[in-house]
Amino acid sequence: VSLVYKSEATRGEIWREIFAREMPDLPFHVWPEVGDRASVRYLVCWVPPENLTEQFPNLDVLFSVGAGVDQFDFSTLPADLPVVRMTEEGIAEGMVQYATMAVLALHRDLFVYQSQQRKEAWRTLPHMPAGQRRVGVMGLGMLGKRVLEQLRPFGFDLAGWSRSGCDLDGIDSYAGAEQLPAFLARTDILICLLPLTEETRGVLDRDLFACLPVGAALINVGRGGHLNQDNLLHALASGQLRHAVLDVCDPEPLTQGHPFWSHPHITLTPHIASVTHAQTGAQTLIENLRRHQRGEGMVGVVNRQSGY
Amino acid sequence: VSLVYKSEATRGEIWREIFAREMPDLPFHVWPEVGDRASVRYLVCWVPPENLTEQFPNLDVLFSVGAGVDQFDFSTLPADLPVVRMTEEGIAEGMVQYATMAVLALHRDLFVYQSQQRKEAWRTLPHMPAGQRRVGVMGLGMLGKRVLEQLRPFGFDLAGWSRSGCDLDGIDSYAGAEQLPAFLARTDILICLLPLTEETRGVLDRDLFACLPVGAALINVGRGGHLNQDNLLHALASGQLRHAVLDVCDPEPLTQGHPFWSHPHITLTPHIASVTHAQTGAQTLIENLRRHQRGEGMVGVVNRQSGY
């Protein structure tokens, strides 16, 4: 029984050491080195190799190194192969930092003040108390809930939306397509933290923007595929949206000359909001492997129906 | 007995209405209208009028509309005139938002990513876990403590420094000139929240910067007078500091053509971190007036010895 790691090399070296110490009986191969293919039971990767079942005929579990699994084409994976997302603490820590930073920057008009600085303009903008600023999170998985929790002590008027709804202590929760317009109508700063599935692809489009109050702001920390790029440019040009903070794009890296790069009302970062920490990520993976070996349920197993 | 308000006009109109409702027996004059000078017992202002004692011979209390009192020249004020700072909740709310935004932006390299965006560069920078980022607050009054409390759930390695020290639950506290070098040596992101006094004027200088780790960052939300501007430019040029976020300057507005405006490693905002909210500010003032009229101690009375 062995494991193959196929992802970023620096983390691979760190994980190799941790596995040598913590699970010395499980051979840890770093792709393209794989050892005996028939022995490989565990694959840990971002993008799986082509011909997965031919490469590794006895695979027991496919682990994603990230929180998302939208890089997998489920139609090419064996129907009974468990797929497991990464759920370690470092992912949440980074996401919470980034989302809070973006909300505060939009709330306090940081991007406008930066533009004023370039013009040598010393001008105070109206200040809105946090209690009057309505922040809404789309997607109420572990990350969405953590972001709401961290925003709570700032005193914002918070709400969340997800497909099936969810109980958020003291925070308004909206559920399903029916309640989406009401959620959007009360949201000045919208954070997209949805999983990317067939259902959510392109959800950030003209129709959705039109439901937001005029001058709302968007933070996309989901996936580039959630966003209709042309519709965003139109919404910014019309003033329907005032600013967008985008950590994700389609494709990544964004193509040279793309209008997002130089847009005065788009802040773009290269998919850095959330990072799987090498140390805690290895521990999370090891705990799941031990659970699997003991025949227990693993944490983060993907539901193929919902796609997350 | 009457009150004179001498500050920003919009807030003056809001306060006039609140006072008419809450303290109908106390005439509320908005400068330059003052009514009978001899009746004026309370002056609420940012900058007092010249010849204060001639203007208002029977003044009982001088209230600052802001958290600071460094705009007052104490040598020109009657020695026995109580001077009271504004301590309302809105000031803390704004300061906590701004300081958290600046810390997260520096921690997550937002300003570097913005500069990369202008160059169409999609490049990931190394990510440091919050627990390894050492954030230090100079000045442990109400605002400094609140900023530390709000930063706590992000998991940063926090510390505080003040002249006399202070007990911070679970956060390292340093005190006095003797412990300042040790505090600075462990601080990657330094937040200045000191009051401006003769003792603290120019404290952010070459010697202080030299005690910080190479590549540290500065957030000045105290006063422009805390900062030696030439020394900051040198520290940024040498790389001793990597970036400064400045909400305060000397003078304000900053003069046209000043090198701070166009500096790639200075983020400048026009003294907006903390704003006295009209509504809650009026309530705080009214509570202090009632205390004074009942002969009780007021909240925020300034110690003339320490200057804050």
Side-chain angles (χ1 to χ4, degrees):
Chain A
V1 174
S2 71
L3 178 151
V4 168
Y5 169 91
K6 176 178 178 292
S7 182
E8 203 257 313
T10 313
R11 183 171 52 209
E13 285 314 305
I14 298 172
W15 284 18
R16 189 202 293 279
E17 281 176 36
I18 296 174
F19 271 78
R21 198 171 59 235
E22 303 265 332
M23 296 193 98
D25 296 338
L26 181 71
F28 186 94
H29 301 288
V30 175
W31 179 276
E33 191 269 309
V34 299
D36 171 26
R37 294 180 188 284
S39 307
V40 175
R41 300 292 177 88
Y42 306 113
L43 175 64
V44 187
C45 66
W46 181 246
V47 181
E50 290 186 29
N51 306 318
L52 181 65
T53 45
E54 289 161 40
Q55 286 272 353
F56 306 120
N58 298 317
L59 205 58
D60 277 346
V61 189
L62 173 61
F63 292 96
S64 171
V65 290
V69 291
D70 50 286
Q71 75 277 24
F72 297 146
D73 177 356
F74 285 112
S75 70
T76 67
L77 302 178
D80 58 348
L81 177 67
V83 176
V84 180
R85 300 185 298 115
M86 176 57 74
T87 57
E88 64 97 18
E89 171 56 25
I91 292 177
E93 177 183 300
M95 184 58 77
V96 159
Q97 290 169 1
Y98 188 98
T100 307
M101 173 182 81
V103 167
L104 290 172
L106 290 164
H107 174 59
R108 297 306 303 272
D109 292 307
L110 175 65
F111 306 118
V112 183
Y113 284 121
Q114 288 182 301
S115 146
Q116 289 192 176
Q117 180 182 351
R118 288 190 287 273
K119 297 174 200 151
E120 303 204 359
W122 184 277
R123 192 164 50 234
T124 303
L125 302 170
H127 175 74
M128 181 182 283
Q132 291 171 35
R133 185 76 76 177
R134 300 165 299 173
V135 179
V137 174
M138 289 186 84
L140 300 173
M142 177 191 70
L143 295 179
K145 286 183 193 160
R146 284 287 298 274
V147 166
L148 283 167
E149 279 310 314
Q150 196 88 358
L151 290 174
R152 195 197 285 266
F154 291 97
F156 293 113
D157 183 357
L158 300 171
W161 177 89
S162 67
R163 198 172 60 161
S164 49
C166 130
D167 187 34
L168 302 168
D169 182 30
I171 296 174
D172 285 342
S173 168
Y174 296 78
E178 203 172 304
Q179 295 181 13
L180 183 57
F183 164 77
L184 296 170
R186 56 73 62 208
T187 294
D188 301 311
I189 299 176
L190 178 66
I191 305 171
C192 173
L193 257 167
L194 292 166
L196 183 62
T197 66
E198 281 317 301
E199 221 173 314
T200 65
R201 185 172 295 279
V203 67
L204 301 174
D205 67 358
R206 176 186 342 233
D207 294 342
L208 181 144
F209 299 148
C211 292
L212 294 166
V214 173
L218 171 67
I219 300 167
N220 190 13
V221 278
R223 288 285 183 256
H226 287 125
L227 178 66
N228 183 314
Q229 301 189 346
D230 284 338
N231 288 182
L232 174 63
L233 290 171
H234 277 103
L236 290 170
S238 73
Q240 177 61 27
L241 293 185
R242 65 177 165 107
H243 201 95
V245 177
L246 308 176
D247 185 53
V248 287
C249 278
D250 188 14
E252 294 180 0
L254 194 62
T255 46
Q256 293 301 302
H258 191 286
F260 283 6
W261 288 112
S262 57
H263 199 291
H265 300 303
I266 292 179
T267 302
L268 189 66
T269 54
H271 204 141
I272 51 87
S274 178
V275 184
T276 299
H277 287 192
Q279 304 290 338
T280 47
Q283 292 305 331
T284 303
L285 178 59
I286 286 168
E287 280 164 33
N288 256 341
L289 289 167
R290 290 193 175 129
R291 281 196 193 92
H292 183 257
Q293 291 178 344
R294 289 195 300 258
E296 299 170 10
M298 291 175 289
V299 175
V301 177
V302 171
N303 177 334
R304 295 268 189 118
Q305 294 298 318
S306 64
Y308 58 91
Chain B
V1 174
S2 71
L3 177 149
V4 167
Y5 170 90
K6 176 178 178 290
S7 181
E8 204 255 313
T10 313
R11 182 170 52 207
E13 286 313 305
I14 299 172
W15 284 19
R16 190 201 293 279
E17 280 176 36
I18 297 175
F19 271 77
R21 198 171 59 235
E22 303 264 332
M23 296 192 100
D25 297 336
L26 181 72
F28 185 94
H29 301 290
V30 175
W31 180 274
E33 190 269 309
V34 299
D36 171 27
R37 295 183 187 283
S39 306
V40 176
R41 300 293 176 85
Y42 306 113
L43 175 64
V44 186
C45 67
W46 180 246
V47 180
E50 290 187 29
N51 306 317
L52 180 66
T53 46
E54 291 161 40
Q55 287 271 353
F56 306 120
N58 298 315
L59 204 59
D60 276 347
V61 188
L62 173 61
F63 292 97
S64 172
V65 290
V69 290
D70 49 287
Q71 77 276 24
F72 297 146
D73 177 355
F74 285 112
S75 70
T76 68
L77 301 178
D80 57 350
L81 177 68
V83 176
V84 180
R85 300 186 298 114
M86 177 57 74
T87 57
E88 64 96 20
E89 172 56 25
I91 293 178
E93 178 182 299
M95 185 57 77
V96 158
Q97 290 169 0
Y98 188 99
T100 307
M101 172 183 81
V103 166
L104 290 172
L106 290 164
H107 174 60
R108 298 306 303 271
D109 292 307
L110 176 64
F111 306 118
V112 182
Y113 284 121
Q114 287 181 302
S115 146
Q116 288 191 177
Q117 180 182 350
R118 288 191 288 274
K119 297 174 201 149
E120 302 204 1
W122 185 277
R123 192 163 51 233
T124 303
L125 302 169
H127 175 76
M128 181 182 283
Q132 290 171 36
R133 185 75 76 176
R134 300 166 299 174
V135 180
V137 174
M138 289 186 85
L140 300 174
M142 178 191 70
L143 296 179
K145 285 182 194 160
R146 283 286 297 275
V147 166
L148 283 167
E149 277 312 314
Q150 197 87 359
L151 290 174
R152 196 197 285 267
F154 291 97
F156 293 113
D157 182 357
L158 300 171
W161 177 90
S162 68
R163 199 171 60 159
S164 48
C166 134
D167 187 34
L168 302 168
D169 182 29
I171 296 175
D172 286 341
S173 168
Y174 295 78
E178 203 173 303
Q179 295 182 14
L180 183 57
F183 164 75
L184 296 169
R186 56 71 64 208
T187 294
D188 300 312
I189 298 177
L190 177 67
I191 304 172
C192 173
L193 257 169
L194 292 167
L196 183 62
T197 66
E198 282 316 302
E199 222 173 313
T200 64
R201 185 171 295 277
V203 66
L204 301 174
D205 67 359
R206 173 187 344 232
D207 293 342
L208 181 144
F209 299 149
C211 293
L212 293 166
V214 173
L218 171 67
I219 300 168
N220 190 13
V221 279
R223 288 285 182 256
H226 286 126
L227 178 66
N228 184 314
Q229 301 189 347
D230 284 339
N231 288 183
L232 174 62
L233 290 171
H234 276 103
L236 290 169
S238 73
Q240 176 61 26
L241 292 186
R242 67 179 164 106
H243 200 94
V245 178
L246 308 177
D247 184 53
V248 287
C249 278
D250 189 15
E252 293 180 359
L254 193 63
T255 47
Q256 293 301 302
H258 190 288
F260 283 7
W261 288 113
S262 57
H263 199 293
H265 300 304
I266 292 179
T267 301
L268 189 65
T269 54
H271 202 140
I272 51 88
S274 176
V275 184
T276 299
H277 287 191
Q279 305 291 338
T280 47
Q283 292 304 332
T284 304
L285 178 59
I286 286 167
E287 281 164 33
N288 256 342
L289 289 167
R290 290 193 175 130
R291 281 198 193 92
H292 183 257
Q293 291 178 343
R294 289 192 301 258
E296 299 170 7
M298 293 176 288
V299 176
V301 177
V302 172
N303 177 334
R304 296 269 189 116
Q305 295 296 320
S306 65
Y308 59 92

